[in-house]
Amino acid sequence: MGFRAHRELVKSVLERFEKAWTFDSRDLARPSADEVLRQLIREVDPGLHARLEEEFFGMGPLSPLLSDNAIQEIVVNGAREIWFEKAGRFSKLDDEFLSDLTFKNFIDRISAACQIKVDLAQPFAYGRWKDF
């Protein structure tokens, strides 16, 4: 399945999420947003569960890079432009974030972990995360 099909799948999950999850805080019996999203992910092709979990809750397409000890640097220039350095050579990653929303959420998660701020007023940042 290519990027276009994956993007359509993420779009479909997000559309179903908007219909399934209530923002009414008075609904005390409602499941959390994460629980609803995880349930929607479980309803798609099981072969895509891990990738969608990473997209919505983890590091998305960066996950394989982060588990590779030979990676020296990762540069994220946008949802669809990710570069990495391995053995002194920069290469473009053959994967991407599957939606602008999941990319924004990734930026929010990693910025919080690095204790840096990224927003429209400061649209770029240099930070260290774990061993990177």
Side-chain angles (χ1 to χ4, degrees), residues 21-33 35:
W21 193 70
T22 174
F23 288 92
D24 186 354
S25 61
R26 295 171 296 172
D27 183 0
L28 300 177
R30 73 179 176 162
S32 72
E35 290 170 326

Side-chain angles (χ1 to χ4, degrees), residues 6 13 19 29 31 33 36-37 39 41 46 54 71-72 96 111-112 117 124 126-127:
H6 280 123
V13 168
K19 292 176 186 172
V36 171
L37 197 47
Q39 177 58 42
I41 289 170
E54 279 298 325
I71 299 297
Q72 299 161 304
E96 58 191 40
S111 296
K117 179 182 171 188
F124 58 89
Y126 178 84

Side-chain angles (χ1 to χ4, degrees), residues 114 116 125-129 132:
C114 295
I116 58 175
Y126 178 84
R128 295 199 58 82
W129 178 78
F132 280 90

Side-chain angles (χ1 to χ4, degrees), residues 33-108:
D34 286 359
E35 290 170 326
V36 171
L37 197 47
R38 283 192 164 91
Q39 177 58 42
L40 292 170
I41 289 170
R42 285 192 294 271
E43 294 172 6
V44 301
D45 177 358
L48 299 173
H49 288 180
R51 178 60 173 91
L52 291 177
E53 281 277 335
E54 279 298 325
E55 186 74 19
F56 285 103
F57 302 107
M59 296 298 160
L62 301 182
S63 289
L65 297 177
L66 295 171
S67 63
D68 184 342
N69 291 332
I71 299 297
Q72 299 161 304
E73 185 172 1
I74 299 171
V75 178
V76 180
N77 288 327
R80 290 164 188 77
E81 189 175 339
I82 302 166
W83 294 81
F84 63 95
E85 181 181 3
K86 186 174 185 173
R89 191 164 180 210
F90 266 95
S91 301
K92 189 172 189 297
L93 183 64
D94 188 28
D95 198 356
E96 58 191 40
F97 285 91
L98 301 175
S99 81
D100 290 335
L101 178 63
T102 58
F103 174 64
K104 181 203 171 297
N105 290 342
F106 159 77
I107 294 297
D108 290 345

